[in-house]
Amino acid sequence: MSSILIKQGTIVTMDERDSIVRGDLLIEGDRIASIGSNGQTGDTVIDASGCVVIPGFVQTHIHLCQTLFRGSADDLALIDWLKKRVWPMEAAHTAGSVAASARLGIAELIKGGTTCALTMETVNHTGEVFRVVEESGFRATVGKCMMDKGDEVPSALQEITSDSIEQSVALLEEWHGKANGRIRYCFAPRFAVSCTRELLEQVGRLARERGVMIHTHASENRTECEMVESETGLRNVAYLNQVGLTGSHVALAHCVHLSKDEIETLLQTKTNVVHCPSSNLKLGSGIAPVAELLERGVSVSLGADGAACNNRLDMFTEMRTAALLQKALHGPEVLPARRALRMATIDGAIAMGLDADIGSIEVGKKADLAVIRLGGIHTSPAARDVVSSIVYSAEASDVRSVVVDGRILMNERKLLTLDESEVINRAEVETARLLGRAGLK
Ligand SMILES: [Zn+2]
């Protein structure tokens, strides 16, 4: 069994005691073998002096297939953004462009210290995303987008209900649990507006039967909420609850517009909310009631959403923005740095049902870690509390090294499983072709 020694770092464990430990961290195989002892050796050594070591970030709402759309869908509200830009571009995807998009997204995630993501892909070519996750060493729970309803949907994205279910189950059977458990499947109906009741009910039932997550969007935008309410007579979350899309295995991205009753439903059903502050701001969707959700005890974790609406996939931006937004609404004491870092790590792992293995640095857990160098101009002088530095001052380019499943994916900012310049070049070529096919050039 090979070993990695991360030497002389400040280890922010995010365990139950919130321990901060100075010393070495030893990885044996895919797991953490010891924390804080000194004088050990490893087959590979990462020098972490002057660095903090944190559990890798867990982003619970990402669209890898949209990374190529960065900068091509700006300054629109949700429904226009979908109909005029995102759906035509998703419809124009080929296997090659999806793979290029996933590589670019995963490269960006790794470079910013994210080690695990819950992703919703497009209707077609989701197998390509799984292959890229497998080859890159990244950890992800991936779902094929499901869409069997809606107007102005390009024909390439219009599905027959039974086909959508069959293709999803086929991907589940092919990929769930692969690569030492690093790869998992989730059902990913796009949102209530894009799916028939029949599809949602089948997804609700199948997810329970198969023991996999459901990942969807909910109550992001007022127009969307009105569309669902006028069709179903129910508030969005009440409708999702009725069709079986609530529970501790369900992640609802956004939840910006919630009634008191809907918050109660989320709490009672232990449904996970994914807060995407940058995306909500850029699409002008509103500000999610995160302080209230946290106070009530609803699970809230963080995601960058896609590059089409953010335009970065950077957890530092999301932590900081999440904290600042709630302070603007409720005062500076609300959502302190430590809570933001929990949302970005262990709370994301809990939402994905992976907290027994990842989300904190503990002996026996999987080695999913990020090593961050503090001490640059923007992180000096060193804060007495390193968590403050991580949440409020640090940025993605401060991440030096990243380990997933006991394998080094980036060392001293060099990606080891992806060729960075090739990833960028391929993204440029595929984006030009894709925009041409979508008629957006
Ligand atoms: Zn999204």
Side-chain angles (χ1 to χ4, degrees), residues 189-237:
R190 183 155 220 136
F191 64 155
V193 175
S194 289
C195 302
T196 60
R197 176 184 288 267
E198 185 193 351
L199 180 112
L200 295 176
E201 285 175 346
Q202 286 200 50
V203 163
R205 182 176 54 74
L206 279 167
R208 285 181 197 279
E209 275 175 24
R210 300 288 186 132
V212 301
M213 285 192 76
I214 299 171
H215 177 202
T216 188
H217 299 99
S219 306
E220 175 175 5
N221 167 287
R222 282 193 197 285
T223 312
E224 167 212 349
C225 293
E226 286 160 11
M227 288 162 90
V228 176
E229 197 162 352
S230 77
E231 279 179 30
T232 67
L234 292 171
R235 298 272 310 171
N236 198 359
V237 171

mmCIF file of all heavy atoms in Angstrom, residues 189-237:
data_model
loop_
_atom_site.group_PDB
_atom_site.id
_atom_site.type_symbol
_atom_site.label_atom_id
_atom_site.label_comp_id
_atom_site.label_asym_id
_atom_site.label_seq_id
_atom_site.Cartn_x
_atom_site.Cartn_y
_atom_site.Cartn_z
ATOM 1 N N PRO A 189 -33.987 14.969 -12.561
ATOM 2 C CA PRO A 189 -35.034 15.690 -13.286
ATOM 3 C C PRO A 189 -34.716 17.185 -13.236
ATOM 4 O O PRO A 189 -34.340 17.685 -12.184
ATOM 5 C CB PRO A 189 -36.307 15.368 -12.498
ATOM 6 C CG PRO A 189 -35.863 14.870 -11.157
ATOM 7 C CD PRO A 189 -34.480 14.326 -11.331
ATOM 8 N N ARG A 190 -34.827 17.895 -14.371
ATOM 9 C CA ARG A 190 -34.302 19.263 -14.427
ATOM 10 C C ARG A 190 -34.982 20.173 -13.401
ATOM 11 O O ARG A 190 -34.339 20.742 -12.550
ATOM 12 C CB ARG A 190 -34.472 19.850 -15.817
ATOM 13 C CG ARG A 190 -33.872 21.235 -15.936
ATOM 14 C CD ARG A 190 -33.479 21.613 -17.336
ATOM 15 N NE ARG A 190 -32.225 22.321 -17.294
ATOM 16 C CZ ARG A 190 -31.210 22.125 -18.115
ATOM 17 N NH1 ARG A 190 -31.277 21.255 -19.071
ATOM 18 N NH2 ARG A 190 -30.102 22.804 -17.989
ATOM 19 N N PHE A 191 -36.288 20.330 -13.512
ATOM 20 C CA PHE A 191 -37.098 21.011 -12.498
ATOM 21 C C PHE A 191 -38.557 20.718 -12.817
ATOM 22 O O PHE A 191 -38.849 20.149 -13.889
ATOM 23 C CB PHE A 191 -36.775 22.500 -12.334
ATOM 24 C CG PHE A 191 -37.022 23.444 -13.498
ATOM 25 C CD1 PHE A 191 -37.245 24.801 -13.252
ATOM 26 C CD2 PHE A 191 -37.021 23.020 -14.825
ATOM 27 C CE1 PHE A 191 -37.453 25.713 -14.276
ATOM 28 C CE2 PHE A 191 -37.229 23.917 -15.867
ATOM 29 C CZ PHE A 191 -37.445 25.262 -15.581
ATOM 30 N N ALA A 192 -39.459 21.068 -11.912
ATOM 31 C CA ALA A 192 -40.857 20.660 -12.074
ATOM 32 C C ALA A 192 -41.434 21.127 -13.401
ATOM 33 O O ALA A 192 -42.256 20.434 -14.009
ATOM 34 C CB ALA A 192 -41.688 21.184 -10.903
ATOM 35 N N VAL A 193 -40.970 22.280 -13.895
ATOM 36 C CA VAL A 193 -41.489 22.828 -15.149
ATOM 37 C C VAL A 193 -41.151 21.920 -16.345
ATOM 38 O O VAL A 193 -41.896 21.873 -17.324
ATOM 39 C CB VAL A 193 -40.905 24.256 -15.367
ATOM 40 C CG1 VAL A 193 -41.314 24.833 -16.706
ATOM 41 C CG2 VAL A 193 -41.297 25.189 -14.223
ATOM 42 N N SER A 194 -40.035 21.213 -16.277
ATOM 43 C CA SER A 194 -39.557 20.391 -17.403
ATOM 44 C C SER A 194 -39.949 18.930 -17.313
ATOM 45 O O SER A 194 -39.530 18.133 -18.158
ATOM 46 C CB SER A 194 -38.028 20.433 -17.480
ATOM 47 O OG SER A 194 -37.589 21.691 -17.906
ATOM 48 N N CYS A 195 -40.709 18.563 -16.288
ATOM 49 C CA CYS A 195 -40.984 17.142 -16.074
ATOM 50 C C CYS A 195 -42.464 16.902 -15.813
ATOM 51 O O CYS A 195 -43.116 17.688 -15.117
ATOM 52 C CB CYS A 195 -40.190 16.622 -14.868
ATOM 53 S SG CYS A 195 -38.412 16.836 -15.041
ATOM 54 N N THR A 196 -42.974 15.789 -16.360
ATOM 55 C CA THR A 196 -44.362 15.421 -16.074
ATOM 56 C C THR A 196 -44.453 14.857 -14.655
ATOM 57 O O THR A 196 -43.465 14.379 -14.098
ATOM 58 C CB THR A 196 -44.853 14.335 -17.055
ATOM 59 O OG1 THR A 196 -44.007 13.182 -16.912
ATOM 60 C CG2 THR A 196 -44.826 14.828 -18.496
ATOM 61 N N ARG A 197 -45.660 14.903 -14.126
ATOM 62 C CA ARG A 197 -45.903 14.298 -12.812
ATOM 63 C C ARG A 197 -45.508 12.817 -12.832
ATOM 64 O O ARG A 197 -44.887 12.308 -11.898
ATOM 65 C CB ARG A 197 -47.393 14.446 -12.447
ATOM 66 C CG ARG A 197 -47.785 13.770 -11.143
ATOM 67 C CD ARG A 197 -49.292 13.868 -10.910
ATOM 68 N NE ARG A 197 -49.708 15.207 -10.555
ATOM 69 C CZ ARG A 197 -49.836 15.636 -9.277
ATOM 70 N NH1 ARG A 197 -49.593 14.825 -8.277
ATOM 71 N NH2 ARG A 197 -50.216 16.865 -9.036
ATOM 72 N N GLU A 198 -45.840 12.155 -13.955
ATOM 73 C CA GLU A 198 -45.535 10.730 -14.075
ATOM 74 C C GLU A 198 -44.028 10.468 -13.925
ATOM 75 O O GLU A 198 -43.601 9.566 -13.213
ATOM 76 C CB GLU A 198 -46.024 10.246 -15.451
ATOM 77 C CG GLU A 198 -45.879 8.768 -15.668
ATOM 78 C CD GLU A 198 -46.067 8.380 -17.139
ATOM 79 O OE1 GLU A 198 -46.473 9.241 -17.952
ATOM 80 O OE2 GLU A 198 -45.784 7.218 -17.463
ATOM 81 N N LEU A 199 -43.232 11.294 -14.603
ATOM 82 C CA LEU A 199 -41.777 11.116 -14.523
ATOM 83 C C LEU A 199 -41.293 11.330 -13.088
ATOM 84 O O LEU A 199 -40.511 10.536 -12.552
ATOM 85 C CB LEU A 199 -41.063 12.087 -15.470
ATOM 86 C CG LEU A 199 -39.538 11.944 -15.435
ATOM 87 C CD1 LEU A 199 -39.004 11.395 -16.751
ATOM 88 C CD2 LEU A 199 -38.843 13.230 -15.119
ATOM 89 N N LEU A 200 -41.765 12.403 -12.467
ATOM 90 C CA LEU A 200 -41.300 12.714 -11.109
ATOM 91 C C LEU A 200 -41.689 11.604 -10.135
ATOM 92 O O LEU A 200 -40.897 11.214 -9.275
ATOM 93 C CB LEU A 200 -41.861 14.069 -10.650
ATOM 94 C CG LEU A 200 -41.369 15.281 -11.463
ATOM 95 C CD1 LEU A 200 -42.062 16.560 -10.995
ATOM 96 C CD2 LEU A 200 -39.857 15.449 -11.377
ATOM 97 N N GLU A 201 -42.901 11.082 -10.288
ATOM 98 C CA GLU A 201 -43.330 10.008 -9.381
ATOM 99 C C GLU A 201 -42.468 8.754 -9.570
ATOM 100 O O GLU A 201 -42.093 8.094 -8.605
ATOM 101 C CB GLU A 201 -44.814 9.688 -9.596
ATOM 102 C CG GLU A 201 -45.709 10.761 -8.996
ATOM 103 C CD GLU A 201 -47.201 10.563 -9.268
ATOM 104 O OE1 GLU A 201 -47.562 9.732 -10.145
ATOM 105 O OE2 GLU A 201 -47.999 11.262 -8.620
ATOM 106 N N GLN A 202 -42.153 8.450 -10.824
ATOM 107 C CA GLN A 202 -41.300 7.272 -11.076
ATOM 108 C C GLN A 202 -39.905 7.481 -10.505
ATOM 109 O O GLN A 202 -39.303 6.560 -9.950
ATOM 110 C CB GLN A 202 -41.218 7.005 -12.585
ATOM 111 C CG GLN A 202 -42.494 6.414 -13.140
ATOM 112 C CD GLN A 202 -42.244 5.718 -14.477
ATOM 113 O OE1 GLN A 202 -41.330 4.913 -14.598
ATOM 114 N NE2 GLN A 202 -43.035 6.056 -15.475
ATOM 115 N N VAL A 203 -39.382 8.701 -10.669
ATOM 116 C CA VAL A 203 -38.052 9.002 -10.119
ATOM 117 C C VAL A 203 -38.080 8.868 -8.589
ATOM 118 O O VAL A 203 -37.175 8.281 -7.982
ATOM 119 C CB VAL A 203 -37.608 10.422 -10.542
ATOM 120 C CG1 VAL A 203 -36.467 10.930 -9.679
ATOM 121 C CG2 VAL A 203 -37.197 10.428 -12.014
ATOM 122 N N GLY A 204 -39.137 9.395 -7.969
ATOM 123 C CA GLY A 204 -39.258 9.304 -6.514
ATOM 124 C C GLY A 204 -39.215 7.852 -6.043
ATOM 125 O O GLY A 204 -38.521 7.513 -5.079
ATOM 126 N N ARG A 205 -39.941 7.006 -6.760
ATOM 127 C CA ARG A 205 -40.013 5.594 -6.380
ATOM 128 C C ARG A 205 -38.679 4.880 -6.659
ATOM 129 O O ARG A 205 -38.136 4.174 -5.813
ATOM 130 C CB ARG A 205 -41.154 4.933 -7.174
ATOM 131 C CG ARG A 205 -41.410 3.477 -6.870
ATOM 132 C CD ARG A 205 -42.622 2.940 -7.640
ATOM 133 N NE ARG A 205 -42.565 3.159 -9.088
ATOM 134 C CZ ARG A 205 -41.775 2.485 -9.929
ATOM 135 N NH1 ARG A 205 -40.971 1.529 -9.483
ATOM 136 N NH2 ARG A 205 -41.792 2.756 -11.232
ATOM 137 N N LEU A 206 -38.133 5.105 -7.871
ATOM 138 C CA LEU A 206 -36.901 4.414 -8.265
ATOM 139 C C LEU A 206 -35.706 4.798 -7.388
ATOM 140 O O LEU A 206 -34.876 3.958 -7.051
ATOM 141 C CB LEU A 206 -36.567 4.746 -9.725
ATOM 142 C CG LEU A 206 -37.323 3.932 -10.768
ATOM 143 C CD1 LEU A 206 -37.137 4.565 -12.149
ATOM 144 C CD2 LEU A 206 -36.820 2.487 -10.786
ATOM 145 N N ALA A 207 -35.634 6.066 -7.011
ATOM 146 C CA ALA A 207 -34.497 6.507 -6.188
ATOM 147 C C ALA A 207 -34.510 5.789 -4.849
ATOM 148 O O ALA A 207 -33.457 5.368 -4.347
ATOM 149 C CB ALA A 207 -34.551 8.021 -5.986
ATOM 150 N N ARG A 208 -35.700 5.616 -4.277
ATOM 151 C CA ARG A 208 -35.791 4.879 -2.998
ATOM 152 C C ARG A 208 -35.444 3.412 -3.192
ATOM 153 O O ARG A 208 -34.697 2.833 -2.407
ATOM 154 C CB ARG A 208 -37.197 5.026 -2.403
ATOM 155 C CG ARG A 208 -37.422 6.395 -1.785
ATOM 156 C CD ARG A 208 -38.802 6.548 -1.166
ATOM 157 N NE ARG A 208 -39.132 7.948 -0.952
ATOM 158 C CZ ARG A 208 -38.705 8.658 0.095
ATOM 159 N NH1 ARG A 208 -37.983 8.106 1.029
ATOM 160 N NH2 ARG A 208 -39.033 9.937 0.211
ATOM 161 N N GLU A 209 -35.976 2.822 -4.261
ATOM 162 C CA GLU A 209 -35.691 1.407 -4.523
ATOM 163 C C GLU A 209 -34.200 1.145 -4.733
ATOM 164 O O GLU A 209 -33.653 0.170 -4.248
ATOM 165 C CB GLU A 209 -36.407 0.967 -5.815
ATOM 166 C CG GLU A 209 -37.845 0.547 -5.609
ATOM 167 C CD GLU A 209 -38.522 0.250 -6.955
ATOM 168 O OE1 GLU A 209 -37.832 -0.067 -7.958
ATOM 169 O OE2 GLU A 209 -39.739 0.366 -6.981
ATOM 170 N N ARG A 210 -33.558 2.051 -5.482
ATOM 171 C CA ARG A 210 -32.164 1.820 -5.851
ATOM 172 C C ARG A 210 -31.167 2.416 -4.859
ATOM 173 O O ARG A 210 -29.959 2.254 -5.011
ATOM 174 C CB ARG A 210 -31.886 2.436 -7.239
ATOM 175 C CG ARG A 210 -32.752 1.864 -8.345
ATOM 176 C CD ARG A 210 -32.319 0.450 -8.679
ATOM 177 N NE ARG A 210 -33.032 -0.072 -9.821
ATOM 178 C CZ ARG A 210 -32.420 -0.689 -10.850
ATOM 179 N NH1 ARG A 210 -31.125 -0.834 -10.881
ATOM 180 N NH2 ARG A 210 -33.141 -1.161 -11.838
ATOM 181 N N GLY A 211 -31.678 3.204 -3.906
ATOM 182 C CA GLY A 211 -30.790 3.799 -2.906
ATOM 183 C C GLY A 211 -29.855 4.843 -3.483
ATOM 184 O O GLY A 211 -28.678 4.915 -3.118
ATOM 185 N N VAL A 212 -30.363 5.662 -4.421
ATOM 186 C CA VAL A 212 -29.531 6.742 -4.979
ATOM 187 C C VAL A 212 -30.192 8.092 -4.722
ATOM 188 O O VAL A 212 -31.371 8.177 -4.368
ATOM 189 C CB VAL A 212 -29.270 6.574 -6.501
ATOM 190 C CG1 VAL A 212 -28.566 5.260 -6.781
ATOM 191 C CG2 VAL A 212 -30.550 6.688 -7.302
ATOM 192 N N MET A 213 -29.409 9.134 -4.919
ATOM 193 C CA MET A 213 -29.898 10.494 -4.684
ATOM 194 C C MET A 213 -30.802 10.986 -5.807
ATOM 195 O O MET A 213 -30.730 10.505 -6.935
ATOM 196 C CB MET A 213 -28.722 11.469 -4.614
ATOM 197 C CG MET A 213 -27.923 11.407 -3.347
ATOM 198 S SD MET A 213 -26.836 12.855 -3.304
ATOM 199 C CE MET A 213 -28.014 14.153 -2.872
ATOM 200 N N ILE A 214 -31.583 12.006 -5.480
ATOM 201 C CA ILE A 214 -32.285 12.804 -6.491
ATOM 202 C C ILE A 214 -31.705 14.214 -6.405
ATOM 203 O O ILE A 214 -31.554 14.765 -5.310
ATOM 204 C CB ILE A 214 -33.800 12.855 -6.231
ATOM 205 C CG1 ILE A 214 -34.405 11.447 -6.286
ATOM 206 C CG2 ILE A 214 -34.487 13.784 -7.235
ATOM 207 C CD1 ILE A 214 -35.862 11.387 -5.837
ATOM 208 N N HIS A 215 -31.385 14.770 -7.557
ATOM 209 C CA HIS A 215 -30.766 16.091 -7.630
ATOM 210 C C HIS A 215 -31.587 16.923 -8.608
ATOM 211 O O HIS A 215 -31.667 16.590 -9.792
ATOM 212 C CB HIS A 215 -29.329 15.911 -8.138
ATOM 213 C CG HIS A 215 -28.559 17.170 -8.331
ATOM 214 N ND1 HIS A 215 -27.467 17.245 -9.162
ATOM 215 C CD2 HIS A 215 -28.700 18.399 -7.796
ATOM 216 C CE1 HIS A 215 -26.973 18.464 -9.132
ATOM 217 N NE2 HIS A 215 -27.706 19.190 -8.324
ATOM 218 N N THR A 216 -32.238 17.964 -8.110
ATOM 219 C CA THR A 216 -33.053 18.793 -9.002
ATOM 220 C C THR A 216 -32.989 20.254 -8.569
ATOM 221 O O THR A 216 -32.347 20.589 -7.579
ATOM 222 C CB THR A 216 -34.508 18.262 -9.037
ATOM 223 O OG1 THR A 216 -35.252 18.959 -10.045
ATOM 224 C CG2 THR A 216 -35.222 18.434 -7.704
ATOM 225 N N HIS A 217 -33.604 21.109 -9.380
ATOM 226 C CA HIS A 217 -33.710 22.539 -9.053
ATOM 227 C C HIS A 217 -35.088 22.807 -8.465
ATOM 228 O O HIS A 217 -36.069 22.219 -8.922
ATOM 229 C CB HIS A 217 -33.600 23.403 -10.317
ATOM 230 C CG HIS A 217 -32.320 23.288 -11.063
ATOM 231 N ND1 HIS A 217 -32.176 22.491 -12.175
ATOM 232 C CD2 HIS A 217 -31.120 23.868 -10.859
ATOM 233 C CE1 HIS A 217 -30.936 22.614 -12.645
ATOM 234 N NE2 HIS A 217 -30.279 23.441 -11.855
ATOM 235 N N ALA A 218 -35.184 23.747 -7.528
ATOM 236 C CA ALA A 218 -36.503 24.098 -7.002
ATOM 237 C C ALA A 218 -36.563 25.538 -6.517
ATOM 238 O O ALA A 218 -35.661 26.006 -5.822
ATOM 239 C CB ALA A 218 -36.869 23.164 -5.850
ATOM 240 N N SER A 219 -37.625 26.214 -6.924
ATOM 241 C CA SER A 219 -37.957 27.535 -6.388
ATOM 242 C C SER A 219 -36.785 28.510 -6.482
ATOM 243 O O SER A 219 -36.446 29.208 -5.553
ATOM 244 C CB SER A 219 -38.431 27.406 -4.935
ATOM 245 O OG SER A 219 -39.485 26.473 -4.861
ATOM 246 N N GLU A 220 -36.209 28.523 -7.680
ATOM 247 C CA GLU A 220 -35.072 29.412 -7.941
ATOM 248 C C GLU A 220 -35.561 30.814 -8.264
ATOM 249 O O GLU A 220 -34.955 31.803 -7.869
ATOM 250 C CB GLU A 220 -34.269 28.822 -9.118
ATOM 251 C CG GLU A 220 -33.110 29.667 -9.605
ATOM 252 C CD GLU A 220 -32.293 28.970 -10.683
ATOM 253 O OE1 GLU A 220 -32.703 27.859 -11.100
ATOM 254 O OE2 GLU A 220 -31.262 29.507 -11.101
ATOM 255 N N ASN A 221 -36.684 30.863 -8.986
ATOM 256 C CA ASN A 221 -37.095 32.103 -9.632
ATOM 257 C C ASN A 221 -38.615 32.254 -9.489
ATOM 258 O O ASN A 221 -39.341 31.251 -9.512
ATOM 259 C CB ASN A 221 -36.648 31.945 -11.106
ATOM 260 C CG ASN A 221 -37.215 32.942 -12.044
ATOM 261 O OD1 ASN A 221 -38.402 32.867 -12.359
ATOM 262 N ND2 ASN A 221 -36.398 33.837 -12.534
ATOM 263 N N ARG A 222 -39.097 33.492 -9.333
ATOM 264 C CA ARG A 222 -40.529 33.699 -9.088
ATOM 265 C C ARG A 222 -41.402 33.183 -10.233
ATOM 266 O O ARG A 222 -42.453 32.597 -10.010
ATOM 267 C CB ARG A 222 -40.816 35.195 -8.885
ATOM 268 C CG ARG A 222 -40.437 35.680 -7.517
ATOM 269 C CD ARG A 222 -41.013 37.069 -7.217
ATOM 270 N NE ARG A 222 -40.304 37.663 -6.095
ATOM 271 C CZ ARG A 222 -40.482 37.308 -4.832
ATOM 272 N NH1 ARG A 222 -41.333 36.364 -4.503
ATOM 273 N NH2 ARG A 222 -39.789 37.902 -3.867
ATOM 274 N N THR A 223 -40.956 33.418 -11.480
ATOM 275 C CA THR A 223 -41.743 32.959 -12.632
ATOM 276 C C THR A 223 -41.890 31.437 -12.611
ATOM 277 O O THR A 223 -42.970 30.902 -12.854
ATOM 278 C CB THR A 223 -41.058 33.395 -13.956
ATOM 279 O OG1 THR A 223 -40.717 34.770 -13.845
ATOM 280 C CG2 THR A 223 -41.944 33.165 -15.152
ATOM 281 N N GLU A 224 -40.786 30.754 -12.314
ATOM 282 C CA GLU A 224 -40.819 29.290 -12.210
ATOM 283 C C GLU A 224 -41.834 28.859 -11.147
ATOM 284 O O GLU A 224 -42.662 27.964 -11.382
ATOM 285 C CB GLU A 224 -39.415 28.792 -11.841
ATOM 286 C CG GLU A 224 -39.336 27.350 -11.393
ATOM 287 C CD GLU A 224 -38.227 27.118 -10.349
ATOM 288 O OE1 GLU A 224 -37.394 28.018 -10.116
ATOM 289 O OE2 GLU A 224 -38.228 26.024 -9.753
ATOM 290 N N CYS A 225 -41.813 29.514 -9.984
ATOM 291 C CA CYS A 225 -42.738 29.152 -8.887
ATOM 292 C C CYS A 225 -44.186 29.360 -9.329
ATOM 293 O O CYS A 225 -45.053 28.518 -9.057
ATOM 294 C CB CYS A 225 -42.452 29.975 -7.637
ATOM 295 S SG CYS A 225 -40.855 29.604 -6.893
ATOM 296 N N GLU A 226 -44.426 30.463 -10.049
ATOM 297 C CA GLU A 226 -45.792 30.740 -10.527
ATOM 298 C C GLU A 226 -46.232 29.694 -11.548
ATOM 299 O O GLU A 226 -47.391 29.259 -11.554
ATOM 300 C CB GLU A 226 -45.866 32.148 -11.141
ATOM 301 C CG GLU A 226 -45.829 33.258 -10.095
ATOM 302 C CD GLU A 226 -45.417 34.612 -10.679
ATOM 303 O OE1 GLU A 226 -45.368 34.739 -11.926
ATOM 304 O OE2 GLU A 226 -45.127 35.535 -9.884
ATOM 305 N N MET A 227 -45.316 29.282 -12.427
ATOM 306 C CA MET A 227 -45.660 28.261 -13.430
ATOM 307 C C MET A 227 -46.068 26.959 -12.738
ATOM 308 O O MET A 227 -47.067 26.338 -13.097
ATOM 309 C CB MET A 227 -44.461 27.999 -14.369
ATOM 310 C CG MET A 227 -44.178 29.135 -15.347
ATOM 311 S SD MET A 227 -42.507 29.044 -16.063
ATOM 312 C CE MET A 227 -42.821 28.062 -17.497
ATOM 313 N N VAL A 228 -45.315 26.541 -11.746
ATOM 314 C CA VAL A 228 -45.625 25.287 -11.052
ATOM 315 C C VAL A 228 -46.952 25.416 -10.308
ATOM 316 O O VAL A 228 -47.800 24.522 -10.366
ATOM 317 C CB VAL A 228 -44.494 24.894 -10.069
ATOM 318 C CG1 VAL A 228 -44.865 23.642 -9.288
ATOM 319 C CG2 VAL A 228 -43.185 24.674 -10.822
ATOM 320 N N GLU A 229 -47.136 26.549 -9.656
ATOM 321 C CA GLU A 229 -48.352 26.720 -8.864
ATOM 322 C C GLU A 229 -49.591 26.757 -9.755
ATOM 323 O O GLU A 229 -50.623 26.173 -9.423
ATOM 324 C CB GLU A 229 -48.255 27.986 -8.003
ATOM 325 C CG GLU A 229 -49.277 27.989 -6.889
ATOM 326 C CD GLU A 229 -48.946 28.977 -5.768
ATOM 327 O OE1 GLU A 229 -47.838 29.565 -5.782
ATOM 328 O OE2 GLU A 229 -49.797 29.152 -4.884
ATOM 329 N N SER A 230 -49.474 27.416 -10.938
ATOM 330 C CA SER A 230 -50.661 27.492 -11.796
ATOM 331 C C SER A 230 -50.970 26.123 -12.420
ATOM 332 O O SER A 230 -52.124 25.795 -12.678
ATOM 333 C CB SER A 230 -50.490 28.572 -12.866
ATOM 334 O OG SER A 230 -49.650 28.102 -13.876
ATOM 335 N N GLU A 231 -49.955 25.302 -12.640
ATOM 336 C CA GLU A 231 -50.195 23.971 -13.216
ATOM 337 C C GLU A 231 -50.684 22.954 -12.202
ATOM 338 O O GLU A 231 -51.464 22.064 -12.519
ATOM 339 C CB GLU A 231 -48.896 23.426 -13.830
ATOM 340 C CG GLU A 231 -48.596 23.972 -15.199
ATOM 341 C CD GLU A 231 -47.280 23.422 -15.741
ATOM 342 O OE1 GLU A 231 -46.906 22.294 -15.396
ATOM 343 O OE2 GLU A 231 -46.624 24.150 -16.509
ATOM 344 N N THR A 232 -50.174 23.055 -10.981
ATOM 345 C CA THR A 232 -50.439 21.985 -10.008
ATOM 346 C C THR A 232 -51.343 22.427 -8.870
ATOM 347 O O THR A 232 -51.839 21.588 -8.113
ATOM 348 C CB THR A 232 -49.114 21.489 -9.368
ATOM 349 O OG1 THR A 232 -48.576 22.548 -8.557
ATOM 350 C CG2 THR A 232 -48.103 21.098 -10.417
ATOM 351 N N GLY A 233 -51.508 23.731 -8.715
ATOM 352 C CA GLY A 233 -52.288 24.237 -7.590
ATOM 353 C C GLY A 233 -51.530 24.184 -6.274
ATOM 354 O O GLY A 233 -52.079 24.476 -5.218
ATOM 355 N N LEU A 234 -50.276 23.813 -6.362
ATOM 356 C CA LEU A 234 -49.469 23.688 -5.137
ATOM 357 C C LEU A 234 -48.211 24.547 -5.226
ATOM 358 O O LEU A 234 -47.694 24.779 -6.324
ATOM 359 C CB LEU A 234 -49.027 22.235 -4.933
ATOM 360 C CG LEU A 234 -50.101 21.205 -4.595
ATOM 361 C CD1 LEU A 234 -49.496 19.804 -4.654
ATOM 362 C CD2 LEU A 234 -50.701 21.477 -3.218
ATOM 363 N N ARG A 235 -47.714 24.972 -4.085
ATOM 364 C CA ARG A 235 -46.385 25.587 -4.050
ATOM 365 C C ARG A 235 -45.374 24.519 -4.493
ATOM 366 O O ARG A 235 -45.597 23.323 -4.337
ATOM 367 C CB ARG A 235 -46.043 26.056 -2.626
ATOM 368 C CG ARG A 235 -46.981 27.124 -2.069
ATOM 369 C CD ARG A 235 -46.549 28.525 -2.419
ATOM 370 N NE ARG A 235 -45.165 28.787 -2.114
ATOM 371 C CZ ARG A 235 -44.514 29.903 -2.501
ATOM 372 N NH1 ARG A 235 -45.157 30.841 -3.179
ATOM 373 N NH2 ARG A 235 -43.242 30.080 -2.202
ATOM 374 N N ASN A 236 -44.256 24.974 -5.042
ATOM 375 C CA ASN A 236 -43.296 24.050 -5.658
ATOM 376 C C ASN A 236 -42.853 22.926 -4.719
ATOM 377 O O ASN A 236 -42.900 21.738 -5.075
ATOM 378 C CB ASN A 236 -42.087 24.877 -6.135
ATOM 379 C CG ASN A 236 -41.248 24.146 -7.158
ATOM 380 O OD1 ASN A 236 -41.535 23.011 -7.513
ATOM 381 N ND2 ASN A 236 -40.207 24.797 -7.624
ATOM 382 N N VAL A 237 -42.404 23.288 -3.517
ATOM 383 C CA VAL A 237 -41.889 22.258 -2.595
ATOM 384 C C VAL A 237 -43.017 21.331 -2.149
ATOM 385 O O VAL A 237 -42.810 20.117 -1.988
ATOM 386 C CB VAL A 237 -41.156 22.911 -1.403
ATOM 387 C CG1 VAL A 237 -40.819 21.866 -0.336
ATOM 388 C CG2 VAL A 237 -39.884 23.616 -1.873
#
